[in-house]
Amino acid sequence: MGCYLDCLVPRCDLLPLSASMSHSDEKSSTSREFKEELGDVTDIQAVDIESQEHSRKAPWIVKATSWLLKWGVELEDIDPIPDERRTNPRLYQLFFVWFSANANIFTYVPGTVGPAFYGLGIRDSFLIIVVVDIMCTISLYPFSAVFGPKLGTRSMVFARFCWGYYAALIPTVLNVVSMQGYLIINTIIGGQTLGATSAHLGASLGIVIIGLLALLVTFCGVHILNWYETVAWIPNVITFIVMLGAGGKHLVNAPLTNAIPASAAAIMTFGATLAATNVSWATLTPDYGVYHDRKASSWRIFIYVYLGFIVSSMLAHLIGAAFTAAAFSVPSWQAGLGNGNDIGGLVGAILEPVGGFGKFLLVLVALTSPSACAPTMYTACTSFMTIAPVFAKVPRFLFAIASTALLIPVGIVGATKFYSTFVDILSIVGYWLAAHFAISLLEHFVFRRGEYSAYEVQQAWNKPRHPNLPRGYASLLTFACTVGLVVVCMDQVWYTGPIARAGTGDMGMLVGFLGGSAVYLGARWAERRWIVGKRPSVETIAVETSVHAQF
């Protein structure tokens, strides 16, 4: 393929193409076509892998890097992408990344939780899904996605500009845990679906196959991931349409409500679970636009991402709720669902009347489940690299391999208790995100007045005491207060707070977000007033940065 990729290795000397060309014109042309196919339209430059930075690395890393570069694998670390490299005009990729990630068997699952786990009917489930999806989608995903092209930063690097350098370790570590948890869930669903195609295959082997496919896409990097997502949605949308055609008559005859009216606590708790699923995507969205046009309208980015999410996620949630609610009155569907833990079995039972074509669709749906797994794994890796400078020096694909090695055995064990595993993971995700988004939204719109120029990204992102980074006192106080509010309002199997116990259901995320917002407004104002006149000199920052980079 040729070894010319634009700036995939950070901090190495870049040579003009004419100075380092060592291949024939034919191979160079092929390399250019491959680059355009991946959507990376920046100038193609030769990478000097023998640079001073590479010479400090172990020989096996240098050799591996050279080989991977030839095949187009992204070797970028977490350094912010400079302005001159954020030029990709293909903004439609931002639509397809999130449309494919949600027009997926995984997004089908949160809708099933209402009927399967909380005993809600179709009508109640539909009303909750529509309200929660609209509220979450319009408020968080598009907002966070704009930071990718505008600032060129990954999500957890950007968190430093809201939390402070050291305090940002809290959301970074929690994001790694959350993403790994979602990876486990995604792999279980994909493995179960693949296992439903054959009695000899089984869910366990299916989990192994799906985990390895997700690793393959993640290993290659964001350019190939963007290309993959532009086509991964096709078999899933076809399958949803066939499912509606094959099982529509059972949906029409299914009761809209259960014999026992839904309790307020069940409705609120299902809404909280669905909201946690939705908002968790917002910590991923900046990562996939860091190479896109920084001059593009923020509204264009917003609309592409918003449509990608709302169209796919609401459709999948509604279908999931409808089929699961109807499954209890259709013996073959109920048998496929088993004890409520086999989503792949339910989908297989719905497609059974279609015969061999249904089996074929089931295989395609399973094999395209990495459309949700790969973005999750990619962000888990970049988040882990943000925890400490020493991790940023490790190639991202090694973290992807480690992530896969962990998720496969845990997924095989967790598949036997799917819904309890699903709800337990979501409880962790939703609660900490309440504080994270309260801090992020207020920092941007109130204290930086919505101005992207207020972020000195290239100068400040890795300097703990840079004046452009908060000290972190306000964010730490906000996080502590949010945890206190969440504890008294949460409703989980392993703990129910006193307010939730009174019959309100799970209000932890909502109350945590509102309370955290109020605390951060006051605390950040006080922090900004206090640090005026206490900023370190430029010389002090330079010395501290030099020492910090050695660890």
Side-chain angles (χ1 to χ4, degrees):
M1 277 294 178
C3 61
Y4 303 111
L5 295 178
D6 33 346
C7 306
L8 293 184
V9 178
R11 299 183 300 278
C12 60
D13 299 327
L14 299 176
L15 301 179
L17 184 61
S18 59
S20 59
M21 181 84 70
S22 60
H23 292 274
S24 66
D25 291 341
E26 181 179 356
K27 288 186 176 181
S28 177
S29 175
T30 302
S31 179
R32 288 179 181 275
E33 292 174 2
F34 180 63
K35 294 289 297 173
E36 292 176 359
E37 213 173 285
L38 297 180
D40 187 3
V41 297
T42 56
D43 294 335
I44 300 175
Q45 298 173 328
V47 178
D48 179 12
I49 60 172
E50 301 298 331
S51 65
Q52 183 179 1
E53 179 69 18
H54 266 43
S55 67
R56 298 193 188 104
K57 297 181 179 180
W60 71 270
I61 294 181
V62 175
K63 291 180 180 179
T65 299
S66 303
W67 186 81
L68 292 171
L69 280 171
K70 292 178 181 179
W71 289 98
V73 174
E74 182 198 15
L75 298 179
E76 193 75 69
D77 64 9
I78 58 171
D79 287 34
I81 307 303
D83 291 355
E84 61 271 17
R85 295 180 56 202
R86 301 202 305 277
T87 56
N88 186 350
R90 293 180 170 91
L91 293 182
Y92 65 82
Q93 290 178 335
L94 301 178
F95 169 85
F96 282 113
V97 166
W98 306 117
F99 184 84
S100 290
N102 285 276
N104 189 286
I105 189 66
F106 166 69
T107 314
Y108 174 93
V109 173
T112 72
V113 174
F117 197 76
Y118 295 109
L120 301 178
I122 293 178
R123 186 181 64 184
D124 292 332
S125 298
F126 274 25
L127 288 174
I128 296 169
I129 287 169
V130 171
V131 171
V132 172
D133 280 0
I134 291 175
M135 289 178 60
C136 292
T137 303
I138 202 167
S139 59
L140 293 176
Y141 316 142
F143 155 72
S144 59
V146 175
F147 287 108
K150 292 299 181 182
L151 300 180
T153 59
R154 275 74 175 184
S155 59
M156 290 299 108
V157 173
F158 170 73
R160 296 175 178 177
F161 290 85
C162 304
W163 287 70
Y165 186 94
Y166 293 111
L169 287 174
I170 294 174
T172 300
V173 171
L174 289 172
N175 200 48
V176 171
V177 174
S178 301
M179 293 300 101
Q180 191 65 25
Y182 270 113
L183 268 175
I184 294 169
I185 293 172
N186 295 353
T187 307
I188 289 174
I189 298 167
Q192 288 178 339
T193 306
L194 190 59
T197 62
S198 171
H200 302 290
L201 188 60
S204 295
L205 182 56
I207 288 171
V208 174
I209 294 172
I210 299 304
L212 293 177
L213 286 175
L215 170 62
L216 177 62
V217 178
T218 308
F219 188 96
C220 295
V222 72
H223 303 298
I224 289 178
L225 192 151
N226 276 330
W227 173 83
Y228 168 75
E229 298 288 2
T230 60
V231 297
W233 60 273
I234 297 174
N236 293 316
V237 170
I238 292 173
T239 302
F240 284 158
I241 295 172
V242 173
M243 286 173 63
L244 289 171
K249 61 181 180 181
H250 297 296
L251 297 182
V252 172
N253 297 327
L256 293 178
T257 60
N258 289 341
I260 302 176
S263 66
I267 291 174
M268 289 298 298
T269 306
F270 173 51
T273 303
L274 194 64
T277 309
N278 287 338
V279 301
S280 65
W281 287 108
T283 60
L284 285 75
T285 51
D287 292 9
Y288 307 96
V290 293
Y291 295 99
H292 285 78
D293 187 3
R294 67 183 180 86
K295 297 181 181 179
S297 165
S298 297
W299 279 108
R300 285 188 64 199
I301 300 170
F302 184 99
I303 291 170
Y304 273 121
V305 176
Y306 174 73
L307 291 177
F309 272 109
I310 192 66
V311 174
S312 56
S313 62
M314 186 178 291
L315 174 65
H317 289 158
L318 292 174
I319 291 176
F323 279 111
T324 306
F328 299 104
S329 59
V330 181
S332 61
W333 293 6
Q334 190 168 12
L337 186 61
N339 61 354
N341 290 313
D342 194 347
I343 300 301
L346 173 61
V347 176
I350 296 169
L351 292 173
E352 188 174 1
V354 188
F357 182 61
K359 292 283 188 183
F360 173 71
L361 289 178
L362 202 59
V363 172
L364 290 182
V365 167
L367 294 180
T368 55
S369 60
S371 62
C373 297
T376 308
M377 184 182 291
Y378 184 90
T379 294
C381 294
T382 59
S383 297
F384 198 90
M385 294 169 71
T386 312
I387 292 176
V390 66
F391 295 143
K393 298 178 181 179
V394 178
R396 173 189 48 80
F397 55 81
L398 294 183
F399 289 122
I401 294 172
S403 173
T404 306
L406 175 64
L407 74 89
I408 288 177
V410 176
I412 291 173
V413 173
T416 60
K417 300 184 294 182
F418 174 72
Y419 275 110
S420 59
T421 303
F422 183 83
V423 174
D424 287 345
I425 289 176
L426 287 189
S427 67
I428 299 173
V429 173
Y431 296 140
W432 79 264
L433 286 175
H436 179 60
F437 289 120
I439 292 169
S440 301
L441 288 167
L442 291 173
E443 180 66 26
H444 180 67
F445 288 109
V446 176
F447 297 105
R448 299 186 189 256
R449 301 185 180 183
E451 297 290 338
Y452 297 102
S453 59
Y455 300 89
E456 298 174 9
V457 173
Q458 297 294 336
Q459 297 80 16
W461 75 276
N462 61 346
K463 299 177 177 61
R465 296 189 63 194
H466 194 282
N468 200 253
L469 295 182
R471 293 293 180 86
Y473 304 125
S475 57
L476 290 174
L477 178 62
T478 301
F479 182 74
C481 292
T482 302
V483 169
L485 292 171
V486 165
V487 167
V488 298
C489 297
M490 66 189 297
D491 183 8
Q492 297 297 326
V493 174
W494 41 274
Y495 177 77
T496 301
I499 293 179
R501 200 179 303 123
T504 64
D506 194 336
M507 298 182 64
M509 187 174 181
L510 177 61
V511 173
F513 175 78
L514 296 176
S517 298
V519 172
Y520 190 73
L521 275 173
R524 181 69 172 121
W525 176 85
E527 180 185 84
R528 285 164 63 92
R529 296 276 294 182
W530 179 74
I531 65 173
V532 172
K534 297 180 179 292
R535 294 175 176 173
S537 66
V538 175
E539 293 78 9
T540 302
I541 294 173
V543 171
E544 290 179 348
T545 303
S546 177
V547 174
H548 178 74
Q550 297 177 14
F551 296 94

